[in-house]
Amino acid sequence: MISTHDRYILVLDPEQQEIRNIHSIEADLQYPVFVASSMEQAVNRLRQGEPCLVILVGNNVQAWSQPLLRHLRQTSYTADMTIVALTDSASPQWSHREDTPELDGFLVKPLSLDIVRSLVESAQARRTWQGVPGS
């Protein structure tokens, strides 16, 4: 399991669309959740510790900021984090997956506790696997 002392879930929700839903499931998670409403808040939080999972909320790839996605992937201590986008099922992003290679995947609203738990477990497995020599 992930230590809650140095790992957390970072949610970038510029329009505060999902904050109520996220806070309602946070109480049932073993992992702290930090919701950032701006890139500046997200970057400041990244300086305090590495998230295991980043959830980007919104239907517009530009709102997620390509520079932030690149920053997340290029920073050595965050290279193994899982980054997913939370969108509506009708979002045009589904057909343009190749435009955002920094993303590990897309999620469809609403976000559920089981999905978040599964994502965190997958992120931990990914981190462990990438730490194995020769992988």
Side-chain angles (χ1 to χ4, degrees):
M1 272 297 153
I2 297 171
S3 167
T4 58
H5 301 291
D6 58 2
R7 305 288 285 187
Y8 62 97
I9 300 167
L10 175 61
V11 179
L12 181 57
D13 189 1
E15 297 177 15
Q16 302 290 302
Q17 298 174 18
E18 292 293 311
I19 196 163
R20 219 172 312 169
N21 186 27
I22 290 165
H23 284 305
S24 70
I25 64 174
E26 179 181 15
D28 294 320
L29 290 171
Q30 298 177 19
Y31 320 102
V33 176
F34 180 81
V35 179
S37 59
S38 69
M39 277 191 358
E40 293 79 23
Q41 283 182 341
V43 170
N44 286 336
R45 182 62 179 139
L46 287 169
R47 290 182 185 133
Q48 298 174 25
E50 178 183 348
C52 61
L53 174 63
V54 176
I55 301 172
L56 305 169
V57 180
N59 291 322
N60 183 350
V61 173
Q62 306 330 328
W64 303 328
S65 170
Q66 292 296 342
L68 176 62
L69 287 170
R70 282 191 292 279
H71 174 77
L72 290 169
R73 288 293 181 210
Q74 292 172 355
T75 304
S76 62
Y77 65 88
T78 59
D80 62 351
M81 79 174 69
T82 298
I83 304 173
V84 295
L86 179 64
T87 66
D88 292 317
S89 61
S91 170
Q93 269 42 288
W94 293 100
S95 61
H96 299 289
R97 170 72 173 96
E98 65 279 355
D99 293 343
T100 52
E102 297 88 357
L103 286 176
D104 293 307
F106 288 90
L107 302 174
V108 177
K109 295 177 187 177
L111 190 60
S112 73
L113 178 60
D114 290 338
I115 296 294
V116 174
R117 282 183 179 154
S118 177
L119 281 170
V120 172
E121 289 172 8
S122 295
Q124 180 62 25
R126 177 181 178 179
R127 178 177 167 85
T128 301
W129 180 80
Q130 288 185 342
V132 174
S135 61

